[in-house]
Amino acid sequence: MAEENKVSLHGFFASPYVRRVDLALKFKGIPYEYVEEDLKNKSSLLLKYNPVHKKVPVLVHNGKPIVESLVILEYIDETWKNGPRFLPEDPYKRAQIRFWASFVHQQVFENMVLILKTDGEAQEKTVKEVSEKLSLLEEGIKSIFPEGIPIINQENVGLLDILIVSTFGSYKAQEEVLGLKLIDPEKTSPLLFSRLKALLELHVVKGALPPHEKVVGALKFMRQNALNSASV
């Protein structure tokens, strides 16, 4: 690969933030080098590329680092015109997609992390909040596609789809660790669930998601650490 076209991604296998970028690169068919980071012993390159947050993901293109997963996704979409366009041309639809992507990023995913890290009443409260937010997301998806939601394929995957599959793609592992359903196709989120199922059938997604047992192990470790810290 020519140095001026070199793309690398610094990440961590269990990070949904990294998975977003990994999926975006794969959907666009962009060759890249993956660098797995040890988050307990961060590399000098990671600290150099992301001195503010010192976190993954970091996309490095032509020697220039781009950080923050949503920023990276838009950078990829603007830089590589091949493959699916993650954001529509229409400014209003683009604004809608950005809003709901940010909603998944800030409201849904961050509350899901809280469910993983809490127990008892605190967890029950957060589960209820996530359920309410998923209902809002369900209505939001309908509002984006008033003429009907297009059937998903690898050529029309959008920014919101990438957020959905990176957040909920390992839902079976989440259910196994937590012992509860976060996505209920019969109550709060039938549309979201059917969208997710269709995304999980895509060849690119099947090849990008980490093995179930590996995710279960990582989630159990994170949960135990958080609960141990809370009880000290």
Side-chain angles (χ1 to χ4, degrees):
M1 191 186 295
E3 188 62 38
E4 65 272 15
N5 292 320
K6 188 174 179 183
V7 179
S8 59
L9 170 61
H10 289 252
F12 172 64
F13 84 93
S15 167
Y17 300 110
V18 173
R19 201 166 306 141
R20 296 169 184 176
V21 180
D22 177 51
L23 282 165
L25 291 168
K26 286 182 164 73
F27 277 122
K28 289 277 192 180
I30 302 163
Y32 67 98
E33 176 192 2
Y34 177 72
V35 181
E36 177 76 3
E37 289 284 349
D38 177 356
L39 299 185
K40 289 183 179 176
N41 184 27
K42 295 170 184 176
S43 71
S44 56
L45 269 181
L46 177 62
L47 300 177
K48 172 191 165 187
Y49 287 143
N50 192 359
V52 176
H53 298 303
K54 303 177 176 64
K55 292 179 179 177
V56 293
V58 177
L59 183 78
V60 184
H61 181 216
N62 299 337
K64 297 173 184 174
I66 305 100
V67 301
E68 295 293 299
S69 62
L70 291 183
V71 175
I72 296 171
L73 292 184
E74 292 212 29
Y75 176 85
I76 290 170
D77 201 34
E78 290 166 3
T79 304
W80 288 277
K81 306 298 184 186
N82 54 297
R85 294 309 307 271
F86 300 145
L87 284 164
E89 292 298 325
D90 179 74
Y92 180 65
K93 278 209 167 185
R94 198 158 62 238
Q96 282 183 297
I97 296 286
R98 281 193 176 117
F99 173 83
W100 287 109
S102 178
F103 181 83
V104 173
H105 175 73
Q106 295 180 335
Q107 303 281 323
V108 179
F109 178 70
E110 290 183 9
N111 269 316
M112 285 175 63
V113 172
L114 273 180
I115 292 173
L116 185 70
K117 293 183 173 181
T118 53
D119 233 337
E121 286 184 18
Q123 188 187 59
E124 285 173 20
K125 182 186 173 200
T126 312
V127 168
K128 187 167 181 269
E129 286 176 8
V130 167
S131 179
E132 288 166 357
K133 290 179 191 303
L134 290 181
S135 293
L136 287 172
L137 176 61
E138 187 94 348
E139 293 307 309
I141 294 172
K142 289 176 188 173
S143 72
I144 295 169
F145 303 105
E147 68 286 349
I149 297 163
I151 294 170
I152 194 73
N153 60 55
Q154 288 187 186
E155 294 307 312
N156 68 0
V157 169
L159 183 72
L160 188 54
D161 293 313
I162 290 173
L163 268 285
I164 288 170
V165 78
S166 61
T167 302
F168 302 109
S170 298
Y171 75 96
K172 289 182 180 176
Q174 293 161 355
E175 288 176 1
E176 183 175 326
V177 172
L178 294 168
L180 52 86
K181 277 186 184 291
L182 294 179
I183 305 181
D184 191 337
E186 294 174 9
K187 293 179 184 175
T188 53
S189 41
L191 175 61
L192 176 62
F193 188 75
S194 64
R195 189 76 173 172
L196 175 62
K197 292 287 278 184
L199 284 161
L200 290 172
E201 287 303 311
L202 297 180
H203 175 70
V204 166
V205 176
K206 283 182 175 179
L209 293 182
H212 174 82
E213 289 308 321
K214 202 171 180 183
V215 178
V216 167
L219 292 177
K220 280 182 176 176
F221 180 78
M222 286 170 59
R223 178 164 172 75
Q224 202 54 56
N225 265 7
L227 294 177
N228 287 347
S229 299
S231 63
V232 171

